[in-house]
Structures are given as structure tokens and as C-alpha cells.
Amino acid sequence: MSKPRILVTRRWPVAVETVLSERFDTTLNKDDVALEAGQLREALLTYDAVLPTVSDKLPSQLFEGEAIRTKILGNFGVGFNHIDVAAAKERGVVVTNTPGVLTDCTADIAMLLLLSVARRGGEGEREVRAGAWTGWRPTHLVGTKVTGKTVGIIGFGRIGRAFAQRCHFGFGMDVVFYNRSAIDPMEASRYGAMQLQTVEDVLEVSDFVSLHCPGGAENRHLMNADRFTAMKPGAFLINTARGDVVDEAALVTALERGTIRGAGLDVYEAEPHVPERLREMDNVVLLPHLGSATEETRTAMGMKVVDNITAFFAGHQPPDRVV
Ligand code: 8YV
């Protein structure tokens, strides 16, 4: 029997590309240039499996029309709001993701953003690199103390919990959270955290608000102008979840008006576009979607995709099936 034809849409860690090439009739994207909509549509017509990333938009139109050949989308990443999973499901396309293996590294990046924005790490670094540091003085780049403050977490899944653990046990912070479903208080206490009823309850008491819920329609613009106003004056927003969870225009206004003090962002509404007004502000720390970007994690993510499509083509249920 011939091997399934698979397309890997971006460069992946070499160890993973090697395994994929051994097991499948694999096309790699050697130049690592993101595919355009037409190329993705063509891929759905010609490959048995397409392995996309967050940079591949797969809206419903791409699944419409002529019958598609692709039977599985093995997404590289836990978030899949770039894929219209309802449309995929309708056309009988299985979608898998890579949960678990990026929990720690994404929580670490959230901590990095929280610390950087509170302690003005980005500003200080830019100053030193520019050769503009004139020497130590008591009033220089004075930031906000982190230890002992209250952090509010929106979305208490794997990453939210790992972040809570770091904040509480690493930095002595009080941790409150909002989660759609009720979490057993004993479970929450393992992470030093306490559930509150509403997003507003969390915003009202938090010095730092960190987003850890999925992107997509259900949470689109969860952080809007009203909710920025509901945050404590002087509070900070951290977003390592998805750009669409935040109304970016409202965030820019809230930052410019001083409604909130600062923001640490790893994700944006229209990546890789980052609004110029954000890039001009000193009270924001801006990273280029690095949440899972460690050697260990990116390899583990790739191997999860390998496991998912291997199981699928062997006629088994893929371990991380989304639809
Ligand atoms: C990935 C992420 O790098 O897994 C996710 O949801 O946000 C990132 O860590 C990205 O999604 C790759 O597709």
C-alpha cells in the first residue's frame, strides 16, 4: 500500500521532519514561507493530511466546493482558532492538536511578560543597547513590585494552572481566577488559587490580569473597553492566549489614556501585524508569539502530530482529536 501523502506547511524541528519523511510521502516547506489561501486550498485537494500551524488560515470557504482529499489536519499547536473546525467536521475532516506539551513553556512566557512589564525590563534593555544609560540613580526606571500582588487568571485550564502555580509558589502572589465551569476548590488550592464568579470580580481585585482561555468566537473581545475600565487603576494585562480575546483597538486606547498601566503581549489580532501605536509605547512588552518556542517543546509538539496522524492512518482514534 502506498504511503499517505502529507504536507507540512512550515519548517518543523529537524528530528520531527525526519520521522515524518520516513513514515509518510512527505512534502516539506523548505523555504518556510507561509502558504497563501489558494495554496492551502490546493493542498486540501491533493494531500491526505495537511499539517498546519497558527500562520495558516483555514476558513470555511477553503473546505467548500470540489471534494477535498485531505482526511486529517494535524495541527501543530494547542490553539486551533485559525481552523474552521465546524466546516472541517462537515466535510469529514478530522482535526487534532497538541495539548499538554507546551503548558510549562507558555506559562513561563506569561511570567516573563509579567515581570518584564512590571519591572520595565524592555525599556531598560532598550536604553542600555542604545548607549543611553547615564548611570544608577534612585528614581531611574522605577517599576511596580510583583511579589505579594494579586494576579487574576481568565481561563483555568492547563496553562492557567501552571501560571497560577508560578505566581503563587514562586512569587507569593494571591491568585484568583475566572473559569466558565466550576473548579473543585481543592484542585484550585493545589495551585494556590481561588475561583471567583465573574470576569468582573477578577478584574476588580487584580493587579495583573493574565489571559489563558481559548481564542475563537466564544471569547472574541472578552477584554473590551468596558472591561479595561473595570480593571484596577494601575493594573497590567498579560496575553499569551490569542490576539482575538482582546479588542486591540480598545487596549491601545486604555493604555494611551492610562486606564491600565501596561501590557505584556505575545499574541495579536492580526499576526504578524502589530499596531504602530502599540509599538510606540514604552509601557508595553511585545513578543512575537514565542509561548511554545523552546527546542524541547517544539519537538514535543511535532512528535504529538506524528502520533496523531500515525494513529489515524493506522485506523485508530488519534489521541488529540478535536473534531
Ligand atoms: C504555537 C500556540 O507555536 O500552541 C499554540 O496554540 O499558540 C503556539 O504555542 C502555535 O500555535 C503554532 O501553531
Side-chain angles (χ1 to χ4, degrees):
M1 215 177 78
S2 63
K3 292 179 177 176
R5 288 194 74 203
I6 70 162
L7 174 70
V8 188
T9 66
R10 304 302 299 261
R11 283 316 303 252
W12 284 19
V14 174
V16 189
E17 290 188 344
T18 306
V19 179
L20 285 170
S21 301
E22 282 161 10
R23 288 196 194 171
F24 303 99
D25 176 2
T26 303
T27 303
L28 300 174
N29 180 351
K30 292 240 158 53
D31 298 328
D32 203 20
V33 176
L35 303 186
E36 286 169 11
Q39 294 170 298
L40 284 169
R41 167 75 189 154
E42 186 59 29
L44 294 178
L45 296 177
T46 44
Y47 288 92
D48 298 306
V50 175
L51 313 187
T53 73
V54 71
S55 62
D56 302 304
K57 306 280 168 263
L58 291 151
S60 61
Q61 307 87 277
L62 291 198
F63 297 92
E64 285 160 12
E66 196 183 334
I68 57 182
R69 173 167 169 172
T70 297
K71 292 163 198 67
I72 179 166
L73 294 172
N75 185 53
F76 184 96
V78 67
F80 48 83
N81 64 325
H82 51 288
I83 304 171
D84 189 324
V85 290
K89 188 177 176 192
E90 204 173 294
R91 302 306 296 268
V93 180
V94 167
V95 180
T96 59
N97 70 343
T98 63
V101 290
L102 42 74
T103 304
D104 286 326
C105 287
T106 307
D108 290 348
I109 277 279
M111 203 71 233
L112 181 150
L113 285 170
L114 187 154
L115 291 168
S116 307
V117 73
R119 301 300 307 275
R120 306 178 66 176
E123 284 175 84
E125 226 253 348
R126 286 192 290 281
E127 185 178 282
V128 173
R129 280 184 190 275
W133 183 31
T134 56
W136 193 92
R137 53 200 189 277
T139 56
H140 181 221
L141 283 182
V142 170
T144 300
K145 184 172 177 176
V146 170
T147 301
K149 293 286 174 64
T150 298
V151 64
I153 293 175
I154 309 293
F156 205 63
R158 294 181 195 81
I159 302 171
R161 288 169 210 217
F163 183 65
Q165 188 177 46
R166 284 155 176 72
C167 290
H168 183 72
F169 296 103
F171 294 86
M173 300 176 89
D174 288 333
V175 183
V176 294
F177 67 90
Y178 169 79
N179 193 66
R180 233 175 3 183
S181 55
I183 305 288
D184 178 352
M186 284 294 284
E187 167 70 2
S189 71
R190 288 182 54 209
Y191 303 93
M194 190 176 74
Q195 184 162 19
L196 301 182
Q197 285 307 306
T198 66
V199 172
E200 279 69 21
D201 290 342
V202 169
L203 302 182
E204 194 185 327
V205 297
S206 300
D207 302 297
F208 299 89
V209 173
S210 191
L211 306 177
H212 297 283
C213 53
E218 59 183 323
N219 293 322
R220 190 178 140 73
H221 290 188
L222 178 142
M223 288 306 297
N224 56 23
D226 287 345
R227 286 199 161 136
F228 290 123
T229 309
M231 284 172 69
K232 267 172 97 168
F236 296 86
L237 177 78
I238 310 298
N239 189 11
T240 55
R242 277 295 179 268
D244 61 3
V245 179
V246 173
D247 178 342
E248 217 164 62
L251 171 64
V252 170
T253 305
L255 287 163
E256 284 176 347
R257 292 191 182 155
T259 312
I260 67 171
R261 183 174 299 181
L265 308 173
D266 191 40
V267 289
Y268 308 87
E269 277 205 86
E271 295 176 15
H273 170 73
V274 178
E276 194 176 343
R277 278 158 70 201
L278 261 185
R279 286 187 278 123
E280 279 170 353
M281 287 179 205
D282 261 333
N283 55 334
V284 296
V285 176
L286 306 170
L287 293 181
H289 202 148
L290 293 181
S292 62
T294 62
E295 253 178 64
E296 296 88 336
T297 289
R298 287 282 161 87
T299 302
M301 289 163 74
M303 291 306 182
K304 269 206 154 253
V305 182
V306 171
D307 290 347
N308 281 318
I309 63 166
T310 302
F312 178 81
F313 286 114
H316 305 303
Q317 189 66 251
D320 308 302
R321 185 167 177 171
V322 175
V323 293

